[in-house]
Amino acid sequence: MKLEDLRPAPGAKKRRKRVGRGPASGHGKTSTKGHKGQKARSGGGTSPGFEGGQMPLYRRLPKRGFTPPGGRTEYAVVNVKSLATFAAGAAVDPQGLVDAGLIKNSGRARVKILGNGEVPHALTVKAHAVSGSARSKIEAAGGRVELLPARVSAS
């Protein structure tokens, strides 16, 4: 067998449907669009969400809330009780939280520490935001809190 002898398996290659090329093609005259109607027209068809003149769902439902200018700030949230898995004196940063399985890798961009639970020992916590109760508990245990600059998202 030579390279030039290779061929696709029988039936693997299908011929392109050439519409509007005369009656002998089997797809002539109306070019598979049927007779008249909205979908047969040039540029025809409906926009997404169109329900045939019925009031569309997105207009029937009430609108609630708003998105602030610049979009919502989504944080990966970690409670101080979860920081007990780190050794005393350790530096806790977003990558360390990912390695410990406390947050997902996609949540590293913005991490917030909340004050639920207790801190057993001194830690250096590096996060983008820290609640007041979490800060006081970490510092009461002899630890430090360092705020990281927020990364600008590409939106």
Side-chain angles (χ1 to χ4, degrees), residues 27-44:
H27 303 294
K29 194 177 173 241
T30 55
S31 302
T32 73
K33 286 177 172 274
H35 294 280
K36 301 187 182 178
Q38 190 170 20
K39 287 174 148 182
R41 308 292 184 205
S42 166

Side-chain angles (χ1 to χ4, degrees), residues 28 49 52 58 98 118-119 155:
Y58 71 91
V98 171
E118 295 299 322
V119 184
S155 59

Side-chain angles (χ1 to χ4, degrees), residues 5-80:
D5 294 338
L6 291 176
R7 295 279 177 271
K13 299 280 275 184
K14 196 168 181 194
R15 293 187 67 176
R16 190 168 72 92
K17 182 194 281 192
R18 297 183 70 224
V19 298
R21 293 294 182 272
S25 68
H27 303 294
K29 194 177 173 241
T30 55
S31 302
T32 73
K33 286 177 172 274
H35 294 280
K36 301 187 182 178
Q38 190 170 20
K39 287 174 148 182
R41 308 292 184 205
S42 166
T46 59
S47 57
F50 182 70
E51 297 184 21
Q54 173 176 297
M55 189 61 67
L57 182 68
Y58 71 91
R59 289 186 61 193
R60 293 197 305 265
L61 295 176
K63 310 297 184 278
R64 293 282 184 264
F66 75 105
T67 304
R72 271 174 75 175
T73 305
E74 295 280 343
Y75 286 99
V77 176
V78 178
N79 281 302
V80 290

